[in-house]
Amino acid sequence: MLSSGYHSEYYFEKFRILEDPKLLRKFSEVLAGKFESYDIEWVVGPFTGGAILAYDLASLMGIKAGYAEKMDNRRVLKRGFDVEGRKVAVVDDVLTTGRSIKDTIEAVKNAGGIPVIAGVMVKRGEISLEIPVYCVIELEFPVYSPEKCPLCKRGLKLEIRGKGGV
Ligand SMILES: [Zn+2]
């Protein structure tokens, strides 16, 4: 069972990438190539995974990294990240609903920054943003509502993954 409540035979664990600096760097290299012509000075990502990717990209590109933190129902740039008037790339690890990348774009704008480009390691859903978004890989898994799940019909044991799971 995924955090959406749907069932799937597959679960993508982003921390198999985020735990491996050499593998993560391969994703960063692809995104850095896409960001090259945008003249950015900051890369900003949401905690947790997006922040790790932002740090690696900033390290690779020789620019600064900022981190968007959860506050109430949104995200904010705290801790004095000086993005005001600067061109910013916004990144996240996995794009599913697009919620966290949208919230991070808002956080950058609220801090006076100028989001110009977005990038994600893995895209699992469709969204439209006000800025171009690049993904390194796209994944499509079949998902089933619990009532119509062929895996449950086959008697497979349900494991909970994602939020609230292991
Ligand atoms: Zn099922």
Side-chain angles (χ1 to χ4, degrees), residues 1 6-8 144-146 148-153 156 158:
M1 184 167 76
Y6 283 91
H7 295 183
S8 178
Y144 312 105
S145 64
K148 292 180 182 167
C149 175
L151 309 165
C152 286
K153 286 203 180 84
L156 259 68
L158 193 65

Side-chain angles (χ1 to χ4, degrees), residues 34 37 59 75 95 99 107 111 119 125 129 134 142 147 149 154-155:
K34 299 288 186 192
S37 59
S59 169
R75 286 187 182 268
L95 186 153
R99 175 73 200 271
L129 295 176
Y134 290 106
E147 312 79 66
C149 175
R154 262 167 37 205

Side-chain angles (χ1 to χ4, degrees), residues 1-67:
M1 184 167 76
L2 308 172
S3 47
S4 58
Y6 283 91
H7 295 183
S8 178
E9 198 158 1
Y10 304 98
Y11 174 69
F12 170 72
E13 178 50 79
K14 63 195 180 186
F15 279 93
R16 295 291 81 76
I17 300 169
L18 296 169
E19 71 182 1
D20 184 340
K22 278 188 184 154
L23 180 56
L24 176 60
R25 181 50 66 96
K26 291 186 194 298
F27 286 84
S28 295
E29 282 167 351
V30 173
L31 291 175
K34 299 288 186 192
F35 293 171
E36 215 168 31
S37 59
Y38 287 86
D39 200 24
I40 53 171
E41 291 175 83
W42 282 81
V43 189
V44 174
F47 275 127
T48 308
I52 297 169
L53 175 62
Y55 175 85
D56 191 55
L57 261 161
S59 169
L60 178 65
M61 298 179 75
I63 57 177
K64 291 198 174 178
Y67 314 113

Side-chain angles (χ1 to χ4, degrees), residues 46-47 68-76 78 100 103 163:
F47 275 127
E69 298 175 49
K70 265 199 174 140
M71 202 173 82
D72 306 323
N73 232 350
R74 58 199 186 102
R75 286 187 182 268
V76 290
K78 299 197 279 190
S100 68
D103 287 352
K163 287 188 186 80

